[in-house]
Amino acid sequence: MADRTRHRAGIVSIFFLSFLIFISSSVFVNGSSFDELFEPSWAADHLLRDGDVVNLKLDRSTGAGFGSKNKYLFGRVSAEIKLPAGDTAGTVTAFYMSSEGPSHHEFDFEFLGNTSGEPILLQTNVYVDGTGNREQRIDLWFDPRADFHRYGIAWSRNWVVFEVDETPVRVFRRMTGRRFPDDQAMGVYSSVWNAEEWATRGGQVKVDWGHAPFVTSYRGLSVVGAGGSGDGGRVDKEEEMSVHQSHQLVWVRAHHLVYDYCFDRQRFPVSPPECRA
């Protein structure tokens, strides 16, 4: 597994030497208040405010979530997030972009809770035309429960980049013969919920409600992209990813990758096409 991961990381490094991220500057809403950008999507009574910090609470009765008032086509979204402390087995905090309908596109950050003393795993996934099954998991190089850290998704016509504190941790790129999510505007969402059927050790460890409520905190939500339904047609700026950032991605994959669907032969006896590129 380690050898294959390092080999894969080396290939990714080559691609990143010429990597371009496109950002549409048609709408810049960084610094806007939470209420200008977002609204509760369910269990509004479990969305709590503390100054500039927004908290989502999960207890035995329900979780909670919020979503953006607008949808965006290309751009960058991010938030500073602090996860619940202590024993969080069976819980999931999700921060993601998604369009609507059975053929939706979706880019996921999912924080998989764990028992006390065990690391929180960060799972990323990409859905195209309603199909996901592209999970990768990493263990983070810090404790995401101890302080706020910034998690972001940069989306262009050719790449989707998942970032942690501006460090790239995953890239999904346009490839010949594979559909790329470039035609559906997406909303920005987050939620905290009970996922004990699968979240911790494949569902073996259930939620211990004696540790509830589980509270995830947010601040500094930022959206840079095309507003409304968004045509995403204007590309006003090109930014080349630095060699340093490409090296960061290689480092993450070499030292923190714990699962990659590309190497799961039980699920995929024949490696998916993008994994063979």
Side-chain angles (χ1 to χ4, degrees), residues 46-47 54-58 64-66 190-192 214-216 218:
H46 280 50
L47 189 154
V54 174
N55 299 301
L56 292 183
K57 181 176 71 171
L58 166 66
F66 61 79
S190 195
S191 58
V192 181
F214 305 98
V215 178
T216 300
Y218 304 79

Side-chain angles (χ1 to χ4, degrees), residues 123-158:
Q123 176 169 283
T124 57
N125 202 354
V126 176
Y127 284 74
V128 182
D129 293 332
T131 300
N133 298 325
R134 298 181 178 92
E135 300 93 343
Q136 293 182 4
R137 298 187 197 112
I138 62 172
D139 55 15
L140 294 163
W141 50 96
F142 53 83
D143 184 352
R145 299 162 291 198
D147 205 349
F148 287 91
H149 292 267
R150 183 164 291 279
Y151 305 89
I153 300 168
W155 176 27
S156 78
R157 292 184 178 279
N158 294 300

Side-chain angles (χ1 to χ4, degrees), residues 105-277:
H105 305 324
E106 185 174 328
F107 312 139
D108 294 338
F109 279 115
E110 293 178 309
F111 301 88
L112 311 185
N114 219 327
T115 54
S116 297
E118 296 295 321
I120 300 290
L121 295 182
L122 174 56
Q123 176 169 283
T124 57
N125 202 354
V126 176
Y127 284 74
V128 182
D129 293 332
T131 300
N133 298 325
R134 298 181 178 92
E135 300 93 343
Q136 293 182 4
R137 298 187 197 112
I138 62 172
D139 55 15
L140 294 163
W141 50 96
F142 53 83
D143 184 352
R145 299 162 291 198
D147 205 349
F148 287 91
H149 292 267
R150 183 164 291 279
Y151 305 89
I153 300 168
W155 176 27
S156 78
R157 292 184 178 279
N158 294 300
W159 304 81
V160 180
V161 184
F162 296 82
E163 301 174 340
V164 176
D165 288 335
E166 300 184 353
T167 295
V169 298
R170 181 177 183 174
V171 176
F172 184 83
R173 64 188 182 88
R174 182 185 295 277
M175 297 176 60
T176 301
R178 179 180 73 175
R179 276 276 287 129
F180 184 80
D182 61 357
D183 59 344
Q184 299 179 28
M186 297 192 193
V188 183
Y189 305 93
S190 195
S191 58
V192 181
W193 49 291
N194 175 5
E196 64 183 6
E197 292 82 5
W198 63 273
T200 306
R201 299 181 190 172
Q204 297 180 46
V205 184
K206 306 301 182 181
V207 175
D208 182 347
W209 294 108
H211 295 278
F214 305 98
V215 178
T216 300
S217 301
Y218 304 79
R219 68 185 186 191
L221 285 102
S222 171
V223 181
V224 181
S229 59
D231 62 8
R234 291 210 310 272
V235 175
D236 301 309
K237 186 177 181 182
E238 294 184 0
E239 293 185 359
E240 183 175 352
M241 177 167 280
S242 69
V243 173
H244 173 65
Q245 287 173 310
S246 72
H247 290 169
Q248 288 179 313
L249 179 66
V250 172
W251 175 80
V252 169
R253 293 187 61 84
H255 297 284
H256 293 278
L257 184 69
V258 297
Y259 176 82
D260 188 336
Y261 75 107
C262 285
F263 303 134
D264 191 335
R265 292 295 173 260
Q266 289 188 335
R267 292 178 63 199
F268 304 102
V270 178
S271 183
E274 64 263 30
C275 300
R276 303 194 296 269

